[in-house]
Amino acid sequence: MHYQGDYYWGYYMPTRSIGSDPMERVVKLASEKAVVIFSLSSCCMCHAVKRLFCGMGVNPTVYELDQDPRGKDLETALMRLLGNSQPLPVVFIGGKLIGAMDRVMASHINGTLVPLLKEAGALWL
Amino acid sequence: MANHRVGETGLTDSGPSSNHHHHHHNIPYAVLHGMNVPQSFMHQEGPAFDFGELEEAIVLQGVKIRNDEAKPPLFTAGRPAATLEMFPSWPMRFQQTPRGSSKSGGESTDSGSGVNTISSKTENQVEPESPISKKTSSLDQQQQVDMASDISRTGTSQNQSAAAKTPQEKRRGSTSEKQLDAKTLRRLAQNREAARKSRLRKKAYVQQLESSRIKLTQLEQDLQRARSQGFFLGGCAGTVGNISSGAAIFDMEYSRWLEDDQRHMSELRTGLNAHLSDSDLRIIVDSYISHYDEIFRLKVAAAKADVFHLITGMWTTPAERFFLWMGGFRPSDLIKMLISQLDPLTEQQVMGIYSLQHSSQQAEEALTQGLEQLQQSLIDTIAGGPVIDGMQQMAVALGKLANLEGFVRQADNLRQQTLHQLSRILTVRQAARCFLMIGEYYGRLRALSSLWASRPLESMMSEDHSCQTTTELQMVQPSQNHFSNF
């Protein structure tokens, strides 16, 4: 798991993304890495989803929106995307939206998660 | 006059009851205390009782009771006289309707005025339970006492009208009056005192009975309400007062769900035994899956209303609670249980089942770690160093607790997905057998709970008899609900 961002002006910022529309930023960030998780550092369910991927041997890219200066905008954009007042954590695999925790779990149980991970190059067996 | 005074004092304890005092009866004082009462003074005219003549009779102690003309005793001997002291029939009456004292005013001379007043009351309250008094005249002391106690109990059935009051009053004037000696006076005063004390004891006892009765009906109502809420279902939870309404509602829904579960299982059983076609069996299997979908739906609402009720497993039986994981069964445990019994499986099916077990375990582990982080975070909040603002601390803690609902929901989601996946991996017949196995497994676990609760405590039984009663009670209570699942 690694936290994305350049050290710029004294704090971490997502690269190449100054001034863009939040939704665009979301899409861009989601497609840059195989597994992308938008999270809150204090959220326990976010911790659970991170543990799930780590337990599977996957190395997800995590964006802690409470530590991002424009995290609130991203969160709002995700809210609109998911139609949910509590959008975090949310997972993208291979640039595709998987969903919140319940969708991630469902896809893992019904066996669709692992193939997606493999397809995105996040998992080797 | 002496006569009336005797009547007064003697009858203070034995005056006739008024109309509304239904369970006090006219037991002649003489009868109560085993004195001999002359038969002749028991008039034979209708039901009315002649008090005036009795007054005289009390003083005339040497007179024997004659049996021949006596009415047959109402009650047989051998009844306990224990209640006599508690229910002296005479005492209460003198408190009743104060009547005019015109009649007796001139007749009493000797004793204090208090006595006179009392006498006036008793004289005028000739509500007779006279048939009783007549009947007692011929009894020996024990029978009289017995009858006295029984009469107090039987109440107004013996109560006759006070119709004959006037003629009695007239007759009273004609009775002879005797001198009272100091001894008699003292004795009568003592009797009065004893009767007063009995009266008070009786009053206290009756009040105690009344309040106990009210308490009992209240307890019954509570019990009824608790039962209707499925309270005894899991053999669980504390008293009725400790269960929240959301929890109570869910418990009720869950008990109904368990009944449905029985129905579905028997459907599966008959479907399997009848060798239905796959499509027919598929309908039954799908309906069973919907049945489980329903409980998960109910748990969503319950998690909102009372998450602790779910997550502590208070809605389940103790044995189920022992295996509880995040408010329900652990999916990987269920699969482990099923794996050996689902034979024969194709290789693909075996791989599917093991893969399901594996992913379920990973998901369970992730959720458990998330919950552990929540716990640690909560500990940090509540333990929290120098507490500057206690309310703020509590508010933060409450906010963190709110996350519990999410975890229970995710756990239930995992359970639901696991069951759905099972039905996808297996053939229809296999799925039918599988779900029947699941239902029977949890039924047995519930039965284990009640058997455990009602098991005989051998070590205690040999020493203490009372323990035996306890376990017997335990056996009565839970077995009804738990074995109903079968």
Side-chain angles (χ1 to χ4, degrees):
Chain A
M1 172 158 53
H2 62 277
Y3 294 86
Q4 187 72 344
D6 292 336
Y7 191 81
Y8 189 71
W9 289 338
Y11 54 94
Y12 280 99
M13 271 178 58
T15 52
R16 295 174 273 138
S17 54
I18 305 169
S20 49
D21 167 55
M23 190 56 90
E24 273 182 33
R25 265 194 76 205
V26 165
V27 173
K28 180 171 286 190
L29 293 171
S31 51
E32 281 173 357
K33 296 287 190 241
V35 181
V36 173
I37 303 177
F38 291 99
S39 156
L40 290 170
S41 60
S42 59
C43 167
C44 302
M45 196 55 81
C46 301
H47 180 75
V49 82
K50 287 176 227 168
R51 297 312 313 158
L52 177 64
F53 284 106
C54 292
M56 290 164 62
V58 173
N59 191 20
T61 304
V62 180
Y63 293 103
E64 303 285 5
L65 295 188
D66 54 335
Q67 292 169 353
D68 187 309
R70 281 180 293 168
K72 216 57 190 99
D73 296 336
L74 297 181
E75 200 178 326
T76 315
L78 287 167
M79 250 187 261
R80 249 184 287 124
L81 190 64
L82 292 173
N84 194 346
S85 61
Q86 297 220 319
L88 304 176
V90 66
V91 174
F92 290 81
I93 298 178
K96 266 193 314 218
L97 173 67
I98 303 300
M101 185 56 151
D102 55 345
R103 297 289 294 275
V104 172
M105 303 258 282
S107 72
H108 191 33
I109 292 297
N110 67 28
T112 58
L113 189 66
V114 167
L116 275 173
L117 288 167
K118 285 185 181 167
E119 199 182 344
L123 200 59
W124 296 274
L125 219 79
Chain B
M1 268 307 260
N3 183 45
H4 284 284
R5 199 176 313 111
V6 168
E8 296 151 7
T9 57
L11 294 176
T12 313
D13 314 304
S14 56
S17 65
S18 64
N19 282 331
H20 56 273
H21 224 301
H22 48 265
H23 56 282
H24 300 290
H25 289 277
N26 233 357
I27 310 302
Y29 185 83
V31 167
L32 283 177
H33 293 265
M35 294 193 213
N36 292 326
V37 176
Q39 179 60 39
S40 58
F41 288 109
M42 302 296 175
H43 73 94
Q44 306 302 319
E45 174 200 296
F49 175 62
D50 186 346
F51 242 79
E53 291 181 344
L54 181 61
E55 290 170 21
E56 187 178 2
I58 289 167
V59 182
L60 303 172
Q61 294 188 33
V63 184
K64 287 282 183 191
I65 300 168
R66 257 173 285 165
N67 287 330
D68 46 353
E69 290 167 66
K71 292 258 173 40
L74 279 178
F75 309 97
T76 55
R79 301 228 184 171
T83 57
L84 176 61
E85 279 211 318
M86 284 301 198
F87 299 95
S89 23
W90 283 15
M92 300 302 286
R93 275 178 250 117
F94 90 99
Q95 297 165 357
Q96 307 308 325
T97 345
R99 308 286 176 91
S101 57
S102 56
K103 194 187 167 305
S104 59
E107 290 166 331
S108 326
T109 51
D110 295 358
S111 312
S113 54
V115 173
N116 293 342
T117 330
I118 292 165
S119 96
S120 66
K121 286 180 192 163
T122 55
E123 283 178 17
N124 289 315
Q125 296 167 19
V126 189
E127 264 88 294
E129 283 93 336
S130 51
I132 298 153
S133 48
K134 270 186 289 183
K135 286 157 189 168
T136 58
S137 64
S138 62
L139 300 177
D140 66 312
Q141 178 175 6
Q142 180 57 38
Q143 284 177 320
Q144 288 162 1
V145 162
D146 292 342
M147 194 148 80
S149 60
D150 286 323
I151 286 159
S152 342
R153 274 184 254 121
T154 50
T156 42
S157 57
Q158 307 294 335
N159 213 352
Q160 305 288 335
S161 69
K165 200 180 295 185
T166 324
Q168 287 178 11
E169 285 176 357
K170 286 198 188 123
R171 257 201 316 282
R172 202 172 294 117
S174 67
T175 55
S176 58
E177 297 167 352
K178 307 282 177 184
Q179 290 290 331
L180 281 174
D181 53 35
K183 203 170 163 193
T184 313
L185 271 173
R186 192 172 56 248
R187 189 174 1 91
L188 290 169
Q190 283 171 351
N191 290 334
R192 214 182 320 142
E193 191 52 39
R196 193 177 65 82
K197 284 189 184 134
S198 294
R199 232 174 297 135
L200 291 171
R201 271 200 303 274
K202 173 187 178 183
K203 199 172 176 186
Y205 182 66
V206 168
Q207 268 176 9
Q208 194 188 20
L209 281 179
E210 285 297 316
S211 62
S212 296
R213 193 176 58 84
I214 291 167
K215 221 184 298 174
L216 182 64
T217 48
Q218 239 162 26
L219 279 172
E220 281 173 354
Q221 279 171 16
D222 287 347
L223 196 66
Q224 195 52 45
R225 212 181 315 129
R227 271 220 192 90
S228 70
Q229 290 171 0
F231 173 63
F232 290 120
L233 174 73
C236 63
T239 63
V240 178
N242 286 346
I243 199 169
S244 75
S245 65
I249 288 168
F250 177 70
D251 284 351
M252 195 165 43
E253 292 169 333
Y254 178 59
S255 77
R256 231 181 280 138
W257 185 87
L258 281 177
E259 288 168 11
D260 285 347
D261 200 53
Q262 287 301 302
R263 241 196 342 269
H264 278 103
M265 292 214 307
S266 62
E267 259 184 41
L268 282 167
R269 241 178 250 119
T270 51
L272 282 167
N273 293 334
H275 300 285
L276 293 178
S277 69
D278 276 5
S279 52
D280 288 343
L281 210 51
R282 170 56 64 189
I283 293 168
I284 298 175
V285 169
D286 284 349
S287 85
Y288 194 71
I289 295 172
S290 309
H291 168 68
Y292 261 97
D293 287 344
E294 202 209 320
I295 191 64
F296 292 126
R297 247 195 325 271
L298 292 171
K299 285 180 86 180
V300 167
K304 268 196 192 56
D306 189 344
V307 69
F308 278 123
H309 184 69
L310 285 186
I311 207 166
T312 55
M314 295 319 289
W315 56 284
T316 59
T317 61
E320 288 172 293
R321 217 175 294 146
F322 175 54
F323 294 105
L324 199 80
W325 173 78
M326 223 169 277
F329 67 84
R330 186 183 277 268
S332 55
D333 281 350
L334 187 67
I335 295 163
K336 243 181 271 171
M337 185 271 292
L338 290 168
I339 270 180
S340 53
Q341 303 181 71
L342 283 174
D343 299 331
L345 295 170
T346 68
E347 200 175 309
Q348 192 182 23
Q349 283 178 325
V350 169
M351 280 178 60
I353 298 277
Y354 274 104
S355 163
L356 176 60
Q357 187 183 15
H358 185 57
S359 50
S360 174
Q361 276 169 336
Q362 284 175 330
E364 286 162 24
E365 184 57 30
L367 284 176
T368 302
Q369 287 188 23
L371 194 65
E372 276 170 9
Q373 198 197 51
L374 178 61
Q375 283 177 329
Q376 189 56 53
S377 169
L378 203 56
I379 289 170
D380 293 342
T381 302
I382 295 178
V387 180
I388 299 153
D389 183 350
M391 284 315 295
Q392 173 65 14
Q393 186 187 41
M394 283 297 137
V396 171
L398 284 173
K400 291 185 177 175
L401 267 185
N403 289 301
L404 267 179
E405 184 199 330
F407 278 97
V408 174
R409 280 193 60 174
Q410 291 306 328
D412 280 342
N413 177 41
L414 188 62
R415 289 182 261 265
Q416 188 178 24
Q417 293 303 318
T418 303
L419 291 174
H420 279 253
Q421 181 67 2
L422 268 175
S423 78
R424 273 180 235 121
I425 294 171
L426 302 170
T427 68
V428 177
R429 291 202 76 79
Q430 287 170 330
R433 278 202 345 263
C434 172
F435 287 125
L436 193 58
M437 269 183 254
I438 292 172
E440 283 175 351
Y441 174 75
Y442 287 113
R444 274 183 227 128
L445 212 52
R446 284 189 290 268
L448 192 63
S449 293
S450 49
L451 284 172
W452 179 258
S454 60
R455 76 198 186 285
L457 304 166
E458 274 104 19
S459 58
M460 292 174 79
M461 264 167 70
S462 54
E463 296 153 27
D464 189 358
H465 243 311
S466 62
C467 287
Q468 202 165 6
T469 329
T470 315
T471 53
E472 279 162 12
L473 287 172
Q474 282 178 309
M475 282 167 106
V476 170
Q477 193 212 56
S479 58
Q480 265 179 297
N481 284 302
H482 294 295
F483 284 105
S484 67
N485 288 328
F486 296 113

